[in-house]
Amino acid sequence: MAGIYIHIPYCKQACHYCDFHFSTYLRTKPDLVDAICKEIRLQKSYLSGEPIKTIYFGGGTPSLLSSYELEKILNTITENFSVSKNPEVTLEANPDDLSEENLYTFKSRGINRLSIGIQSFNDNFLHLFNRAHTSQMATKAVSKAKNVGFDNISVDLIFGVPNQTLQQFQKDLEKIIALDTQHISIYGLTIEENTTFGKWKKTNKIQPIDEEVAASQFELIMDVLASSGFHQYEISNFSKPGFESQHNSSYWKGEQYLGLGPGAHSFNGNSRQFNIRNNSKYIKAIDDGQIPCNVELLTNNQKLNEYILTKIRTAKGISLKEIKDRFNFDFAGNYTDKISLYKNQGLIELSEYLMLTREGKLVADSITENFIVD
């Protein structure tokens, strides 16, 4: 089974923390949708006939797509790929786009999972982020989606915001749990260099939150969501039973996927390719019948590192047997000292799988770096 990701690189306005590829110039959107449909046809052999079990509209802001544009892309996918009977079809959406009319349109076009970018319930922080919605709009958006009939809703929240106290974040958690959605994704704020926040950091307009405060917020996340019936199946992702994101889970399982649109990435098991991050150049190349991408053939060690980087973040962890069988690598034998150190520190557990403990999840990145194979 395989997945398809469609990158819609348009936003009404730029979030101050965002480092993804997007544009606020919406006039080229119809031409880009046409180009995506052409890329679908050009790429129809990329997944070697694997059935498509997930389709994911990401961005950018996919909820800016019109009914016609959404239908056109989905129809082109079904015309060129073998889509499974009941695929998971996710649309990322901003609360300010979720009118009842739009929600009915999304549902009628086959969207069966919404990922709503709430980010915060604190209007001061939403203003800092340069988000277009308010806390009240976010709450109403989820309520409207439920009334329309969506029963698989994910919401995003950000922690580790500059000057955010533990008490302020606890209020965010309480409000997001009260929404009673099936899935919650919670990400620590990273200040990237080429963003507004990155520029503000250089001039001391903002500074990253203290690491101990951010760690306390993350511990609070794990405690509160566990007591509310959510399973932490990946470090940043929590779900009610049976509502794990199938699409994102396929990434962590190393399954094939095709990325469409400017800035999208693809993986077919042996190579990765990366589409150009420029809307006009992407459109022109596709119109000329060319896919504007860089292709990277993966070595065995690169494939192994991809496995380690993704699997260690999941609840199940790294399978030592799978690493041996797939990559001919004795993980425990090569990392005896590091494994012993982390076990003694209470950061990992080891059986047939190597798993991060609760304490290990707080320093997951540094642990992972020490398990990368040269």
Side-chain angles (χ1 to χ4, degrees):
M1 304 290 274
I4 290 179
Y5 172 86
I6 306 103
H7 188 70
I8 307 299
Y10 294 101
C11 293
K12 294 175 183 176
Q13 58 195 53
C15 296
H16 288 162
Y17 55 78
C18 184
D19 194 36
F20 293 130
H21 170 63
F22 70 93
S23 171
T24 56
Y25 185 73
L26 301 181
R27 291 184 183 178
T28 59
K29 184 160 65 81
D31 292 334
L32 189 128
V33 169
D34 287 342
I36 287 174
C37 291
K38 291 175 184 176
E39 187 186 4
I40 292 170
R41 292 188 282 270
L42 290 170
Q43 295 272 44
K44 64 182 180 181
S45 300
Y46 183 80
L47 298 172
S48 303
E50 283 286 312
I52 304 302
K53 69 173 182 178
T54 64
I55 299 171
Y56 193 105
F57 287 87
T61 312
S63 50
L64 291 175
L65 289 172
S66 69
S67 172
Y68 169 76
E69 291 166 340
L70 189 59
E71 183 176 32
K72 183 173 184 177
I73 292 171
L74 287 170
N75 284 346
T76 308
I77 289 173
T78 57
E79 289 165 3
N80 289 273
F81 290 90
S82 173
V83 179
S84 62
K85 188 175 181 181
N86 295 302
E88 177 192 83
V89 187
T90 303
L91 181 87
E92 289 184 353
N94 284 343
D96 42 297
D97 293 326
L98 295 182
S99 65
E100 281 196 4
E101 180 182 359
N102 283 346
L103 285 163
Y104 277 115
T105 294
F106 298 150
K107 190 166 180 60
S108 69
R109 294 296 176 263
I111 303 298
N112 53 33
R113 183 175 184 271
L114 289 176
S115 178
I116 304 175
I118 290 175
Q119 316 309 2
S120 178
F121 290 95
N122 184 311
D123 285 334
N124 290 329
F125 289 141
L126 289 173
H127 179 71
L128 177 69
F129 295 159
N130 200 37
R131 298 291 289 177
H133 70 275
T134 64
S135 172
Q136 186 179 41
M137 291 167 67
T139 302
K140 287 183 176 179
V142 174
S143 178
K144 285 185 287 187
K146 289 182 177 181
N147 290 338
V148 166
F150 282 98
D151 56 6
N152 192 353
I153 300 172
S154 178
V155 287
D156 288 355
L157 199 63
I158 293 175
F159 75 96
V161 181
N163 300 316
Q164 183 183 47
T165 66
L166 188 63
Q167 291 73 25
Q168 286 174 320
F169 186 68
Q170 185 168 4
K171 289 181 180 179
D172 269 3
L173 280 177
E174 291 169 356
K175 289 182 178 180
I176 209 162
I177 288 168
L179 294 179
D180 192 27
T181 62
Q182 292 75 30
H183 189 281
I184 300 174
S185 295
I186 306 187
Y187 303 101
L189 178 68
T190 301
I191 298 180
E192 303 289 352
E193 184 177 354
N194 295 320
T195 63
T196 298
F197 276 1
K199 296 172 184 175
W200 287 354
K201 180 183 174 184
K202 290 179 182 177
T203 61
N204 291 318
K205 187 173 180 179
I206 63 169
Q207 287 299 317
I209 194 170
D210 182 83
E211 288 186 3
E212 289 188 8
V213 175
S216 295
Q217 291 180 352
F218 189 63
E219 289 188 275
L220 183 66
I221 290 166
M222 292 189 286
D223 288 339
V224 171
L225 293 188
S227 65
S228 301
F230 285 88
H231 170 55
Q232 187 179 17
Y233 68 103
E234 193 269 349
I235 285 182
S236 299
N237 288 275
F238 303 76
S239 76
K240 296 285 181 67
F243 287 96
E244 297 84 357
S245 167
Q246 294 179 38
H247 185 84
N248 289 340
S249 294
S250 70
Y251 295 155
W252 306 321
K253 293 176 182 176
E255 296 176 357
Q256 298 182 71
Y257 60 90
L258 170 64
L260 303 161
H265 294 188
S266 302
F267 171 70
N268 65 3
N270 295 309
S271 68
R272 293 197 177 279
Q273 63 184 49
F274 316 87
N275 283 359
I276 191 171
R277 289 167 56 105
N278 182 293
N279 291 0
S280 60
K281 290 181 179 180
Y282 168 83
I283 292 170
K284 184 179 185 305
I286 295 293
D287 283 345
D288 291 338
Q290 299 177 356
I291 300 166
C293 66
N294 292 323
V295 178
E296 177 186 13
L297 293 175
L298 301 176
T299 65
N300 186 67
N301 279 0
Q302 286 174 317
K303 293 176 185 178
L304 170 57
N305 286 335
E306 287 284 334
Y307 177 91
I308 294 169
L309 284 165
T310 53
K311 283 286 190 175
I312 201 170
R313 293 179 58 87
T314 65
K316 194 171 185 179
I318 297 171
S319 168
L320 304 187
K321 182 179 185 302
E322 189 174 3
I323 283 183
K324 180 65 175 176
D325 293 344
R326 285 180 57 185
F327 307 106
N328 193 30
F329 186 81
D330 180 4
F331 189 88
N334 278 277
Y335 289 123
T336 302
D337 292 342
K338 292 177 182 177
I339 289 173
S340 178
L341 174 65
Y342 289 138
K343 280 184 66 179
N344 291 337
Q345 292 176 338
L347 301 177
I348 63 170
E349 295 176 357
L350 185 69
S351 55
E352 295 180 4
Y353 291 83
L354 183 146
M355 297 168 288
L356 296 174
T357 63
R358 173 192 170 89
E359 292 73 20
K361 290 173 184 176
L362 298 174
V363 289
D365 289 345
S366 63
I367 293 174
T368 304
E369 287 175 10
N370 283 308
F371 286 140
I372 294 301
V373 180
D374 295 329

